[in-house]
Structure formats: structure tokens, C-alpha cells
Amino acid sequence: MKKFEQTWRWYGPDDPVSLQDIRQAGATGVVTALHHVPHGEVWTVADILDRKRIVEESGLSWSVVESVPVHEVIKTRGSEAKRYIENYKQTLENLASCGIYIVTYNFMPVLDWTRTMLDKEMENGAKALYFDWVDLALFDIYILKRKGADKDYSEEIVTAAKKGFEQRSEEDLAALTHVILMGIPSEKDISLADLQNSLDVYSNIGLDGLLSNLLWFLGEIQEVCEANGVQMALHPDDPPYPILGLPRIASNKEDYLKVINGVDSPFNGICFCSGSLGAGAANDVLDIARAVKHRVHFAHFRNVKKDHIGNFYEADHLDGDVDMPSLLRIFVEENQNRTRPIPFRPDHGHQMLDDLHKVTNPGYSAIGRLRGLAELRGVEQGLIALM
Ligand code: DNO
């Protein structure tokens, strides 16, 4: 029976978790990106080879790119979009020429993943990432001051947000703003002004416009991907619903089916993130997996625990709302049809044990992910033994 490829996200030479740590965790593949290259610029072969060499000298391989960011000009199909598409194609070609074929990306407007708190304390003292609707509404209504924002939330949430705003200190509000606008470590954060400027642009584009921009982008890169064996993996929206009035088009099964059928070619695939999808109250993660598994080029296994209004924290990998053993079973079976094993990584992990005293990238401390990886590979082996 074939096993998954075990991978681990590494933010590059500045990541406090080293390549040697990754080896000790038992992963064989590294998931990384050239975070120092500004969004939209070409990744040169020299730069890619340099990173690849560092990874390989540690006895690991660079299995997946996460991410080659899609520039806002492409997402909004601005006047310079063609130039950015050409750059994107060149980057894909360069990666393939260095033997790197799986590329993760997302099509979320302006912001990547969004949380309202990075250190929610669990009962056992570990810390988790957390998303709270009242805090998001507080930010949206009182800090971003988006027009008509209060209409997007229930009365209960609007009232609680108002109270929160009146009670919280300036410092607290600044910290909340920082967390919401936080980008990928070692890339630049979004500014409040960037976000404000984008609101109008995206409200004109709307859901249909954003989807058609994504399909246009995929159509444009199709030839390069097919000619070079590149597999594109679309990460779901995180969280999987429109936030701050911005449209979202990769949040559920219907969205994914529109995308994979819209440009119906094997290069056009998915990064199946069980935590992102699992945060959607209406999402049945197992059902989504069954519907799209044939196009999954990469998987993030992570869990979430939601409450009755949809706030959620990131739970231990085998805890929470996603039935992880059943999900893994779907992918273990799918993996048997593949020539190249599906790479997965333990996505995020609690800040725990020694890591509580260290400064690490939110969600990406070592020990919580080590625990996640160990649990996930244990489930995989158990499933294989029973098959
Ligand atoms: C967060 C990640 C995302 C993901 C991108 C893919 O931890 O899952 O930032 O890498 O959205 O483009």
C-alpha cells in the first residue's frame, strides 16, 4: 500500500524551526516559497536552485511550493494584468525546470487567512488560533469603518461589538487590527488603507466577477502548466465565507466544482485544507473530499471546533469537528490510484510545551505540528493495516 508523502511548511532560512527539526519530526518533504520576492515578480532559476540546494543539503526535498502568490492586479483583472500573468507563467516554468511541480495558491481578495486572536488558551494551557465574529464585526464597523458593515451581522453581534469597542483600550484595538491584517511571516502585512481602497474595487467585481477572473487566470496559465507538468493547487478561503464585504469563491463544494469543471484539466487542482473548509457551518468536509479528491494535489490536515455562532478555534488534529480518521481514509484510498503519493502537511499546531516560551510564527511552532504529524501518520498506518 502506498503512503502519503509527509511534508512540513518551512518559511525559509529565517524560520525559527530549522530543516534539521523538520527531519527529526519525520517529514521528508519541505513546503516553502521564496517569500523575499515581492508579489508579482519572477522567481529566477538561480534563486529557486539556491533554495532547493539548502533544502536538499539537509536530506529533505522541496516537494511543494506554498505559495506563488497571485498578484492583486490579476485577481482584480486590472490594466496591467497581462504583465503579471506573463511573470507568473515564467515563475512556473522556472520552478518546473528545477524539478518542482506542485504549486499552491489562493484567490482570496487582499487578505490571506484571517483570525482575530493568535493565542487563545486551551484548557491544558496550550495556545491556539481563534476566530471570533464579534471581534471581526468590531474591527469592520469601528476600525475599518466599512459602509453598511453593520447590516452584515446579526443584531446580537452588532450589540456585542459596540460594547467591546467601548470597553477595550486603544492598545487592545491596535493589537486586534494587527492580527486581522497580519500577512504571511516574512512578507509584508496589509495596511488598513490598502484594505479600505480594495473594498470598492471588489464590490464592483462581486462574486461572479471574481470567479470569472480566476477561470481567466487558469485559462491563461493552462498551456504552461500542461507543457511543464505543473499542478496548481487552489487553497480554500480561510475562513470559508465572505468577510469584510469581500467576495469569496473557494469556500465549499459548489465553489470547488465550479473551479475544477470551469477549466477541466488535471493541472487545475486543489489544496484540500480540512481546517479551512471545516470552519464553514454548512460544510460537510467528508462530502467535499469525496467530490473533489481526484483533483487534490496537496492536503493540509487540520481541525477546528466551532460554537453555535460559528466562532472557531483550531483544535488538536484528531479532535474537533472534522472526523479526521474518516477523512484520511478517503485520501488513503485515493492515494492508491496515484503514481506520485499525495503530499500532506500537518497544518498549524498548538503552541505548547517549550514553544510557549519561544517566539514562533503563529500556527507554525514546532511541537504542536510534530504532535499533529505523529498523530496523522499513526492514523494513516492504522488505516493501511486494516485495509
Ligand atoms: C495558512 C495557510 C495559508 C495558505 C495560503 C495558500 O496557514 O494555510 O496562508 O498558505 O492561503 O496560498
Side-chain angles (χ1 to χ4, degrees):
M1 297 281 278
K2 282 180 214 150
K3 290 192 184 150
F4 299 132
E5 183 188 5
Q6 297 176 31
T7 71
W8 185 281
R9 189 177 203 173
W10 184 58
Y11 282 113
D14 295 335
D15 193 325
V17 182
S18 69
L19 290 168
Q20 195 185 3
D21 295 339
I22 299 176
R23 277 198 77 183
Q24 290 181 13
T28 54
V30 165
V31 175
T32 192
L34 303 185
H35 295 286
H36 58 277
V37 180
H39 287 196
E41 281 184 24
V42 176
W43 295 14
T44 64
V45 170
D47 246 12
I48 298 167
L49 285 179
D50 194 41
R51 177 62 58 87
K52 193 172 179 237
R53 179 185 50 77
I54 298 173
V55 169
E56 289 176 355
E57 278 173 2
S58 303
L60 295 158
S61 60
W62 184 355
S63 311
V64 177
V65 179
E66 181 170 350
S67 312
V68 179
V70 179
H71 197 277
E72 282 297 304
V73 170
I74 297 180
K75 292 179 188 168
T76 56
R77 212 168 160 175
S79 57
E80 277 193 286
K82 269 280 179 199
R83 180 165 80 78
Y84 284 104
I85 292 269
E86 289 313 311
N87 287 356
Y88 204 95
K89 290 194 323 203
Q90 190 62 57
T91 295
L92 296 179
E93 237 176 77
N94 292 352
L95 283 165
S97 75
C98 300
I100 300 161
Y101 299 105
I102 305 177
V103 175
T104 314
Y105 71 106
N106 73 69
F107 221 75
M108 288 180 253
V110 204
L111 297 167
D112 197 300
W113 57 319
T114 305
R115 297 287 182 275
T116 56
M117 194 178 179
L118 305 174
D119 53 359
K120 171 118 179 138
E121 198 160 319
M122 305 282 95
E123 269 177 6
N124 63 9
K127 290 179 178 165
L129 307 185
Y130 181 61
F131 179 90
D132 185 294
W133 277 108
V134 172
D135 282 351
L136 188 81
L138 185 168
F139 169 79
D140 197 2
I141 302 169
Y142 297 103
I143 299 173
L144 184 63
K145 301 190 172 81
R146 180 170 63 92
K147 236 185 10 226
D150 54 338
K151 309 274 179 317
D152 285 357
Y153 305 94
S154 69
E155 232 180 275
E156 185 194 350
I157 290 182
V158 173
T159 312
K162 181 165 189 278
K163 204 163 143 209
F165 180 66
E166 286 160 1
Q167 287 173 349
R168 289 168 77 159
S169 67
E170 288 282 316
E171 263 170 15
D172 245 29
L173 296 173
L176 174 65
T177 304
H178 175 66
V179 169
I180 292 177
L181 298 178
M182 180 178 281
I184 302 296
S186 58
E187 293 182 13
K188 96 177 184 352
D189 289 356
I190 304 297
S191 72
L192 200 57
D194 289 343
L195 182 55
Q196 273 154 341
N197 290 335
S198 300
L199 294 176
D200 287 344
V201 178
Y202 279 102
S203 90
N204 289 330
I205 293 174
L207 273 175
D208 293 345
L210 190 62
L211 176 64
S212 88
N213 291 354
L214 170 58
L215 296 178
W216 166 74
F217 164 70
L218 289 166
E220 291 286 318
I221 63 170
Q222 179 166 11
E223 210 179 298
V224 167
C225 292
E226 289 175 347
N228 293 279
V230 173
Q231 300 187 311
M232 296 298 295
L234 173 64
H235 190 278
D237 304 325
D238 184 2
Y241 22 75
I243 52 165
L244 310 173
L246 296 164
R248 303 275 233 186
I249 48 163
S251 293
N252 52 46
K253 180 167 95 174
E254 290 65 38
D255 288 351
Y256 263 149
L257 291 176
K258 281 186 205 160
V259 175
I260 60 181
N261 297 330
V263 177
D264 194 6
S265 161
F267 91 88
N268 176 21
I270 289 167
C271 166
F272 194 93
C273 178
S274 57
S276 302
L277 293 166
N283 278 347
D284 174 343
V285 178
L286 300 185
D287 181 50
I288 305 176
R290 284 187 204 101
V292 302
K293 60 180 191 228
H294 56 291
R295 282 286 181 84
V296 170
H297 297 324
F298 178 37
H300 289 176
F301 293 132
R302 172 162 73 76
N303 223 319
V304 282
K305 185 86 192 146
K306 304 182 281 294
D307 68 13
H308 68 290
I309 45 172
N311 303 324
F312 65 88
Y313 65 84
E314 299 192 356
D316 283 318
H317 291 76
L318 301 188
D319 197 10
D321 299 339
V322 178
D323 173 356
M324 196 57 81
S326 301
L327 180 69
L328 289 183
R329 190 190 176 120
I330 294 170
F331 285 110
V332 166
E333 284 169 2
E334 173 61 22
N335 199 30
Q336 306 313 311
N337 308 325
R338 303 293 181 99
T339 39
R340 182 193 161 151
I342 302 171
F344 83 93
R345 65 176 180 84
D347 191 23
H348 304 179
H350 287 168
Q351 193 181 356
M352 60 196 290
L353 306 175
D354 266 15
D355 281 339
L356 286 167
H357 314 293
K358 294 183 189 158
V359 178
T360 51
N361 292 318
Y364 289 92
S365 48
I367 302 169
R369 285 188 291 162
L370 171 76
R371 173 177 170 173
L373 180 61
E375 292 179 342
L376 293 164
R377 79 158 75 88
V379 172
E380 183 196 23
Q381 292 201 14
L383 285 166
I384 288 179
L386 294 173
M387 278 165 108

